[in-house]
């Protein structure tokens, strides 16, 4: 029986467990990446582990998220990360060099390798045939130290592409179509593997758009084969030597098959407030818009930017619209400057932003009250833009650019014929903004620069055998990490200060939560399905830990958040009978006895609702390693105990 590409790469990297779907496997990690908003914590954790130099083939730290420096905090964190990298063997991509995923794809990713990154959009690397997975900072720290990374052995979904995209229909429309069909939880426990004749028609940046936004499916990752198109891309990046041809066996067996005929796709948009709330642009109609933002790790490649510049050339942005553009990397921005496309954007009235995440994470450009904003980004969760009542639509760069000129949502196909946009034979290579680490024998000479904003992370205690705690918060389905631990220009600078950032925990949902949880001492959060979808930020676990949350009890969890809860020593439990969710109210007192014994040996916990006087069961479907970790009080304690 043949193997899928996913199975081939995973089994080559397997260090523990068996390739049995649904069971836990440990894999060796070749490369890691971090970004600055999750990086400070990850490097503090790496330091705490006491490993002198990273043990991966390549580890890179990017500064791309916290780039709006409206106080000393972000600049201090950047200096801290820079000094840690120099000392411990990590390459440091300085602010201005670009968005982690775009730069990693251009300069460092290699087909067939494994990559984990402390950012949920790490699967962008799947565009060149990597197994690239988003993870919590602590898992990345462990991998940097040479430790194994654990995942549930995934099911593999074949996404069979046929046909060819019509003019002005975009890779973004492909992933929006997948999201429309499968939903934000459709990918949980699965890898999306793209195959079929249609693959050849997509360039590497287009493939990367698709694997990037595969994160919104909740998937473990997404992957394309490494073929002649990949070779051409790597050659143009002057690293053809990194190319290896990779594909699934012709008789590979998949767990599910999704058929997509590229020729039948039309321009789509994800409507507020979820990436899977997808409708066609025509269906939504000529909606008046206030803002258009083009960029983010999903759509900021040279190819995307050239299309946008072509559409804007010689025109003026509509008077009622603010258009801002953030090219994804220094390479993209420099090439746009050299070939004149940047002038076309500026002349049309676009506001050019630095090569960074920027407005995607609420770092500026919040829309006006009730504003309608079209964005080429990947997330449109409520409040993420910084304006709570704004309405965010996720679209392709083509749809965004033409709509910015017209002042209303426009189907780009109305533009008629499309010229051929061809990627250059050679990209402009200049890695002068990537600083190499100092030689190992000189590492003692490097001083670690710590700003006053950097506070130690909360210490979790070993698990107690009895938990009596009130329900401090009850929430519904699809709660995102942006609900649990919001980001944005005001809160992100607090990422290195857990006590302070915890004051904003669940702010979008209930601003009284942090104070109440602290007053309760110990508490439990109750949630619905797909709890914790979205970001990899471990702050969504560390803040609840600091506030005394002992257990999160839901109908189901998103993958990275569940791992982060376990790493923090918080029990992730699910209702055995979902109907019990309705029988619990905020404020109820819950009692669980024999917790350690059951976490060690059983698949369920028996929970007594003392307030309402009934008992029910919750499931704890965990591996042995996860059970031991919870009992030790999280990954750091566990590593110390075992190491
Ligand atoms: C995001 O897009 O939500 C982020 C900001 O990149 C996060 C990481 C973070 O919260 O720092 C992610 O996707 O993991
Ligand atoms: Fe940055 Fe946005 Fe991509 Fe997250 S999704 S890495 S904030 S550009």
């Amino acid at each position: 029986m043949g193997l899928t590409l996913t199975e081939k790469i995973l089994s080559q990297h397997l260090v523990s467990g068996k390739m049995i779907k649904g069971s836990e496997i440990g894999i060796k990690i070749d490369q890691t990446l971090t970004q600055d908003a999750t990086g400070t914590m990850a490097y503090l954790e790496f330091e705490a582990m006491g490993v002198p130099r990273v043990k991966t083939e390549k580890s890179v730290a990017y500064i791309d998220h916290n780039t709006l420096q409206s106080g000393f905090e972000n600049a201090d964190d950047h200096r801290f990360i820079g000094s840690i990298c120099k000392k411990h063997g990590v390459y440091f991509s300085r602010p201005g060099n670009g968005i982690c995923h775009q730069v990693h794809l251009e300069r460092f990713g290699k087909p067939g390798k494994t990559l984990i990154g402390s950012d949920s959009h790490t699967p962008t690397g799947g565009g060149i045939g990597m197994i690239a997975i988003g993870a919590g900072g602590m898992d990345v720290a462990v991998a940097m130290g040479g430790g194994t990374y654990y995942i549930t052995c995934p099911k593999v979904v074949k996404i069979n592409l046929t046909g060819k995209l019509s003019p002005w229909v975009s890779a973004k429309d492909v992933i929006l179509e997948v999201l429309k069909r499968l939903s934000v939880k459709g990918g949980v426990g699965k890898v999306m593997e793209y195959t079929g004749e249609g693959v050849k028609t997509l360039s590497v940046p287009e493939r990367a758009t698709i694997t990037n936004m595969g994160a919104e499916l909740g998937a473990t990752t997404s992957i394309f084969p490494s073929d002649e198109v990949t070779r051409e891309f790597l050659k143009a990046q002057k690293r053809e030597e990194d190319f290896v041809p990779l594909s699934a066996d012709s008789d590979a067996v998949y767990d599910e098959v999704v058929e997509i005929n590229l020729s039948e796709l039309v321009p789509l948009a994800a409507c507020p407030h979820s990436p899977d709330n997808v409708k066609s642009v025509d269906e939504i109609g000529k909606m008046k818009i206030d803002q258009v933002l083009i960029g983010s790790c999903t759509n900021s490649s040279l190819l995307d930017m050239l299309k946008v510049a072509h559409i804007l050339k010689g025109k003026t942005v509509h008077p009622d619209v603010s258009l801002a553009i953030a090219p994804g990397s220094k390479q993209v921005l420099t090439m746009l400057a050299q070939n004149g496309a940047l002038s076309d954007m500026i002349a049309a009235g676009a506001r050019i932003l630095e090569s960074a995440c920027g407005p995607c994470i609420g770092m500026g450009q919040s829309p006006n009250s009730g504003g309608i904003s079209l964005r080429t980004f990947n997330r449109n969760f409520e409040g993420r833009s910084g304006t709570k009542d704004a309405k965010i639509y996720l679209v392709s760069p083509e749809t965004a650019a033409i709509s910015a000129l017209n002042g209303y949502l426009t189907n780009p196909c109305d533009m008629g014929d499309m010229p051929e946009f061809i990627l250059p034979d050679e990209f402009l290579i200049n890695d002068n903004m990537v600083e190499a680490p100092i030689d190992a024998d000189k590492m003692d000479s490097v001083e670690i620069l710590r700003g006053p904003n950097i506070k130690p992370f909360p210490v979790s205690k070993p698990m107690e055998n009895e938990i009596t705690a009130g329900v401090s918060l009850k929430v519904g389905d699809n709660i995102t990490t942006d609900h649990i631990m919001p980001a944005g220009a005001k809160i992100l600078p607090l990422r290195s200060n857990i006590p302070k950032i915890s004051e904003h925990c669940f702010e979008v949902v209930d601003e009284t939560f942090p104070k109440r949880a602290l007053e309760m001492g110990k508490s439990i959060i109750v949630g619905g399905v797909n709890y914790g979808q979205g970001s990899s930020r471990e702050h969504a676990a560390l803040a609840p830990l600091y506030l005394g949350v002992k257990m999160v009890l839901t109908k189901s969890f998103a993958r990275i958040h569940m791992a982060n809860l376990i790493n923090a020593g918080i029990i992730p439990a699910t209702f055995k009978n979902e109907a019990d969710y309705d029988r619990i109210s905020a404020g109820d007192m819950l009692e669980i006895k024999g917790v350690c014994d059951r976490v060690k040996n059983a698949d369920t916990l028996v929970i007594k609702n003392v307030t309402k006087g009934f008992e029910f069961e919750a499931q704890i479907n965990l591996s042995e390693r996860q059970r031991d970790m919870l009992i030790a009080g999280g990954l750091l304690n566990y590593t110390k105990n075992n190491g």
Side-chain angles (χ1 to χ4, degrees), residues 35 64-65 99-101 119-121 212 296-298 356-358 360-361 377-379 384:
Q35 40 91 335
D64 55 358
H65 279 63
I99 305 175
C100 53
H101 309 302
D119 192 282
S120 65
H121 291 103
N212 169 286
S296 92
C297 56
T298 315
C357 300
C360 178
I361 190 57
F377 307 167
N378 47 40
R379 289 187 175 144
R384 184 173 158 102

Side-chain angles (χ1 to χ4, degrees), residues 41-57:
M41 272 300 141
Y43 293 108
L44 284 170
E45 287 150 358
F46 179 75
E47 265 192 319
M49 284 165 21
V51 180
R53 296 282 284 192
V54 292
K55 295 185 179 154
T56 47
E57 290 174 16

Side-chain angles (χ1 to χ4, degrees), residues 450-603:
R450 269 172 241 275
N453 186 45
I454 299 179
K455 297 276 181 286
F457 42 82
V459 183
S460 61
K461 298 196 195 81
M463 182 181 276
E464 291 166 20
N465 205 30
E466 190 172 323
I467 299 177
T468 305
V471 175
S472 49
L473 188 71
K474 183 177 176 187
V475 290
D477 290 346
N478 290 320
I479 285 292
T480 73
T481 47
D482 279 301
H483 290 111
I484 307 172
M485 198 57 262
K490 297 194 190 93
I491 304 177
L492 275 169
L494 306 174
R495 283 284 178 97
S496 318
N497 186 337
I498 300 294
K500 207 92 199 99
I501 205 170
S502 300
E503 291 169 17
H504 301 277
C505 192
F506 275 111
E507 192 172 83
V508 201
V509 178
D510 176 356
E511 4 183 86
T512 61
F513 168 74
K515 193 160 169 276
R516 181 169 63 251
L518 274 180
E519 279 166 8
M520 289 168 84
K522 288 179 199 172
S523 73
I524 292 172
I525 294 173
V526 173
V529 297
N530 201 24
Y531 179 91
Q533 66 160 324
S535 156
S536 69
R537 62 189 73 149
E538 56 191 340
H539 303 75
L542 295 178
L545 169 69
Y546 175 79
L547 297 172
V549 174
K550 299 286 165 203
M551 180 195 288
V552 181
L553 176 59
T554 68
K555 293 183 184 171
S556 66
F557 286 95
R559 179 185 66 86
I560 310 178
H561 184 61
M562 178 163 161
N564 285 340
L565 285 173
I566 298 171
N567 286 351
I570 298 175
I571 306 172
T574 53
F575 289 99
K576 189 163 183 194
N577 177 359
E578 285 195 1
D580 289 329
Y581 169 89
D582 299 319
R583 300 167 75 200
I584 301 182
S585 315
D588 285 1
M589 189 56 74
L590 306 183
E591 187 184 270
I592 315 149
K593 294 213 164 113
V595 186
C596 293
D597 305 337
R598 295 197 74 95
V599 166
K600 179 82 194 148
N601 301 311
D603 286 332

